[in-house]
Amino acid sequence: MAPLISHVYELGLIEAVAKTQRECFEAGVRFARTEGIIPAPEPTHALAACVEEALRCKETGEAKVILTALCGHGHLDLPAYGRFLAGEMEDRELSDEAVAAAVAQLPKVPA
């Protein structure tokens, strides 16, 4: 995680949310159809959160400015978009044990 983002998170100015792959690609397709830009898969996680927030504001009538960053383009990831559009993408959830096992295999950073 970037140090600045980690610091802003630790200050409680932002919160982290988890999104499924399909929800992210759905937001990426929606963005592409609306804006004419195919986003890379990485920023679609933020786009999915923005869509969720915008729909919540629409439902409640709350006026809000929603800002996100868009980096990269999805031209190199068209096969992934193809799998999503063909219904071949599945969401997977990892157990706490699987995450812990993966973290245990990460290289140790000297203090």
Side-chain angles (χ1 to χ4, degrees):
M1 181 62 72
L4 180 59
I5 300 298
S6 295
H7 183 64
V8 171
Y9 176 79
E10 289 169 359
L11 292 174
L13 299 174
I14 62 172
E15 61 186 58
V17 296
K19 298 291 177 193
T20 66
Q21 284 294 95
R22 289 188 296 194
E23 185 179 5
C24 294
F25 274 88
E26 182 179 308
V29 169
R30 176 181 266 190
F31 186 85
R33 289 179 175 156
T34 304
E35 300 297 330
I37 301 168
I38 302 169
E42 296 83 2
T44 63
H45 293 75
L47 292 173
C50 288
V51 167
E52 180 181 53
E53 186 65 21
L55 292 174
R56 185 177 12 258
C57 288
K58 182 179 179 181
E59 189 176 290
T60 65
E62 179 184 3
K64 186 181 273 191
V65 174
I66 301 170
L67 175 69
T68 189
L70 181 67
C71 59
H73 58 75
H75 296 130
L76 299 176
D77 298 297
L78 290 178
Y81 275 99
R83 284 193 303 279
F84 168 74
L85 293 170
E88 298 170 356
M89 183 175 286
E90 58 184 71
D91 294 326
R92 295 186 211 157
E93 290 195 32
L94 296 175
S95 67
D96 290 340
E97 294 80 20
V99 172
V103 169
Q105 293 180 22
L106 292 173
K108 304 294 182 228
V109 178

